[in-house]
Amino acid sequence: MDKTRKIIISITDFIGFVNKSGGSKLTKVRQLKRREAYHPSKDFYKLLREEIVELHQESKDLNILDDLLKRLTDNKKINSYPSVITGYKKFIGKKKTSWFEPPVSHWVIGDLDIKINPELGLKLGTKSLVIKLYLSADKITKDKVTQILSLLENELRTIVDDNVVFGILDVKTGKIFENSDRDISFLPLLEGEAKSFETIWKGIK
């Protein structure tokens, strides 16, 4: 692949595109192509994701997330983070967890490069879960769940232990969606959508 032509987006960006229809697909791609380069200061949930990862990596108490709230100065985060933290604490509850490094890969279709990067690798009792955190303001749907899990399963299965289960955590509600049956049924659709995304991207001046 010619690296100068590579289109690099996140799995969240791509799934956002997939779930648009008609002209809104064009609008979504245009927004992605014209947005500024990534900067940590503009990543709204970066602090929270990092805090969640750190608490598991270092076996800290779950209540460490409450301390994060005391350090916030952005009013939007002050208003939004508490409910998300409540949802995450609901998910963990009193479960004993241990950390393992989650796998990372890239799904490449033509010139489109989508980073597949679940944030968490957690052992919960006898279960090993690789988890993608869902923090979007858009409501999670069954289709979104199946689409994301299809990509995780397809791209990461060969680089994890056989007992690993891929999951998506809707952090705000504390609800986990697991791909226990290793479903990749949405893959043909996603391949078509990836080609469509590339075509639209290259057609936008």
Side-chain angles (χ1 to χ4, degrees), residues 83-192:
S83 61
V84 181
I85 288 173
T86 297
Y88 192 75
K89 291 170 73 174
K90 176 183 176 182
F91 163 63
I92 295 296
K94 296 183 179 180
K95 304 183 190 78
K96 291 184 178 180
T97 68
S98 60
W99 171 265
F100 64 91
E101 198 66 31
V104 175
S105 186
H106 290 261
W107 189 50
V108 179
I109 299 288
D111 288 329
L112 183 62
D113 184 331
I114 301 168
K115 188 172 184 180
I116 311 297
N117 59 337
E119 291 87 355
L120 303 178
L122 296 179
K123 290 184 178 179
L124 302 171
T126 59
K127 184 179 294 186
S128 295
L129 287 172
V130 167
I131 300 171
K132 182 67 184 171
L133 300 177
Y134 187 85
L135 290 160
S136 173
D138 296 332
K139 184 178 179 180
I140 197 165
T141 63
K142 183 178 179 180
D143 278 355
K144 284 183 182 179
V145 166
T146 308
Q147 290 157 10
I148 296 171
L149 288 176
S150 289
L151 285 178
L152 295 180
E153 189 69 45
N154 188 68
E155 292 304 301
L156 303 177
R157 172 52 59 192
T158 60
I159 52 177
V160 297
D161 292 340
D162 190 60
N163 65 329
V164 165
V165 176
F166 295 105
I168 301 169
L169 177 64
D170 184 3
V171 185
K172 292 179 181 178
T173 65
K175 185 174 182 180
I176 184 82
F177 301 88
E178 299 178 14
N179 195 24
S180 301
D181 56 0
R182 303 189 179 187
D183 181 20
I184 56 169
S185 60
F186 267 62
L187 198 61
L189 167 69
L190 296 173
E191 289 174 347

Side-chain angles (χ1 to χ4, degrees), residues 2 7 23 35 48 60 65 67 72-73 78 129 138 154 168 173 182 187 198:
D2 181 353
I7 305 163
R35 72 181 174 187
L48 181 56
K60 295 182 178 180
L65 296 178
D67 294 337
L72 297 177
T73 56
I78 290 171
L129 287 172
D138 296 332
N154 188 68
I168 301 169
T173 65
R182 303 189 179 187
L187 198 61
E198 181 184 349

